[in-house]
């Protein structure tokens, strides 16, 4: 019986609890979205490799080239320079001399070709599409006969120096002693 009374009091207490009235229910409906439409992406056709050759004779030199059906061509050959090999730690040391070229047709239909050499002096490409460097030495302009030597800047005249005086007159206040 006691359990029944306790349960009844708990239900009365829970039902008597005031509900918050400061939060009204929203008067709008949930937004609706249109079903997205997807456009098919253009399918890309793989580009066929028309020719490919890799030659590694075993002496450290190599030669390769390939060309594709869309007009891309790449070739390169390289030979190790004297001193190339592995050091005592098994790490490669020394360098190669590589030369080659690559070419393609740009989006405007113009053929583009770049040739290069890479050696101890770095990578040195050569092509009509590369910007040319600005000349580093310019001729010194000649000075005409009407050149006038610059004059010194204007200097404000200073007053003459005045020697300080030993006394400046009677002081304004002198105390009187009785």
């Amino acid at each position: 019986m006691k359990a029944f009374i306790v349960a009844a009091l708990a239900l009365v207490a829970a039902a008597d609890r005031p509900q918050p009235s400061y939060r009204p229910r929203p008067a709008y409906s949930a937004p609706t979205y249109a079903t997205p439409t997807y456009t098919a992406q253009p399918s890309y056709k793989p580009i066929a490799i028309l020719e490919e050759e890799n030659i590694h004779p075993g002496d450290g030199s190599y030669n390769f080239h390939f060309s594709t059906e869309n007009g891309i061509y790449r070739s390169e050959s390289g030979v190790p320079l004297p001193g190339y090999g592995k050091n005592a730690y098994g790490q490669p040391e020394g360098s190669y001399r590589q030369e080659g070229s690559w070419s393609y047709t740009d989006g405007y239909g113009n053929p583009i070709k770049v040739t290069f050499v890479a050696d101890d002096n770095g990578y040195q490409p050569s092509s009509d599409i590369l910007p040319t460097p600005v000349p580093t030495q310019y001729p010194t302009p000649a000075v005409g006969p009407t050149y006038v030597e610059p004059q010194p800047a204007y200097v404000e005249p200073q007053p003459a120096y005045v020697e300080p005086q030993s006394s400046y007159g009677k002081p304004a206040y002198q105390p009187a002693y009785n």
Side-chain angles (χ1 to χ4, degrees), residues 30-175:
T32 58
Y33 298 101
T35 305
T37 57
Y38 296 101
T39 57
Q41 296 293 327
S43 61
Y44 296 101
K45 177 183 152 197
I47 311 241
I49 296 175
L50 302 177
E51 180 184 13
E52 180 179 17
E53 183 177 33
N54 288 302
I55 301 172
H56 298 273
D59 60 353
S61 64
Y62 68 93
N63 187 354
F64 76 86
H65 70 272
F66 68 86
S67 61
T68 62
E69 69 179 334
N70 64 348
I72 297 174
Y73 179 78
R74 170 89 162 91
S75 70
E76 183 176 321
S77 63
V79 294
L81 295 176
Y84 182 80
K86 293 190 177 185
N87 61 16
Y89 301 104
Q91 300 296 319
E93 62 183 7
S95 61
Y96 264 78
R97 173 177 171 76
Q98 301 160 317
E99 49 187 87
S101 66
W102 45 271
S103 63
Y104 65 95
T105 303
D106 69 6
Y108 300 106
N110 302 321
I112 305 296
K113 182 171 183 179
V114 176
T115 59
F116 67 89
V117 173
D119 55 12
D120 290 335
N121 297 321
Y123 181 73
Q124 304 154 43
S126 173
S127 176
D128 292 339
I129 65 166
L130 298 175
T132 57
V134 176
T136 56
Q137 293 186 4
Y138 295 96
T140 306
V143 178
T146 59
Y147 176 74
V148 177
E149 189 69 33
Q151 301 296 318
Y154 174 75
V155 178
E156 185 78 29
Q158 299 292 323
Y161 177 74
V162 178
E163 186 70 34
Q165 298 176 6
S166 59
S167 90
Y168 291 98
K170 184 177 177 185
Y173 171 75
Q174 286 187 346

